[in-house]
């Protein structure tokens, strides 16, 4: 939005209220949208005439936005998928090792992860009972 010189000087204008540090919560508050943050750039319209326009500096990205942009890259997604695959394989290997320690009939019966956990709880409880007697 371009302001004429008299609008920029007018303190009652809504956009100029945002450039006042006191209105944003104190003297050390960050100034948003102030005219001093804008650089004059020569702009040429299609009619051959030129006019001065003000363009703001590129906005500073928040930590969350930087993280979102970094995670949007194919390289990051590929690395994340590899790490996740390794984690899931280690998780499944730990369940397989626990499954080998549990007595079932038949011994090679396929159990779900929740069944393995519940059977392990029961087996540990049984072993505690045996040791207590």
């Amino acid at each position: 939005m371009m302001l004429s010189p008299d609008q920029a000087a007018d303190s009652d204008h809504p956009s100029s209220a945002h450039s006042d540090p006191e209105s944003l919560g104190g003297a050390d508050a960050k100034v948003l949208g102030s005219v001093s943050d804008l650089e004059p750039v020569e702009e040429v319209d299609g009619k051959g005439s030129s006019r001065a326009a003000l363009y703001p500096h590129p906005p500073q990205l928040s930590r969350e936005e930087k993280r979102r942009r970094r995670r949007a890259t194919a390289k990051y997604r590929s690395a994340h998928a590899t790490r996740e695959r390794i984690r899931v394989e280690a998780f499944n290997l730990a369940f397989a090792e626990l499954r080998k320690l549990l007595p079932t009939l038949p011994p090679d019966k396929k159990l779900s992860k929740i069944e393995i956990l519940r059977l392990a709880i029961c087996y540990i409880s049984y072993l505690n009972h045996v040791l207590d007697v």
Side-chain angles (χ1 to χ4, degrees), residues 27-75:
D28 56 356
K30 185 176 180 180
V31 177
L32 301 173
S34 69
V35 177
S36 63
D37 290 342
L38 304 176
E39 295 179 2
V41 176
E42 192 69 22
E43 183 181 309
V44 179
D45 33 302
K47 301 173 186 168
S49 64
S50 65
R51 58 188 168 146
L54 295 177
Y55 291 103
H57 293 290
Q60 293 296 325
L61 299 176
S62 67
R63 181 181 298 166
E64 294 81 19
E65 183 62 26
K66 287 179 184 177
R67 185 178 300 133
R68 266 189 234 111
R69 288 188 181 189
R70 184 177 63 244
R71 289 179 177 175
T73 64
K75 181 179 176 183

Side-chain angles (χ1 to χ4, degrees), residues 2-9:
M2 292 186 54
L3 300 176
S4 68
D6 57 347
Q7 286 177 329

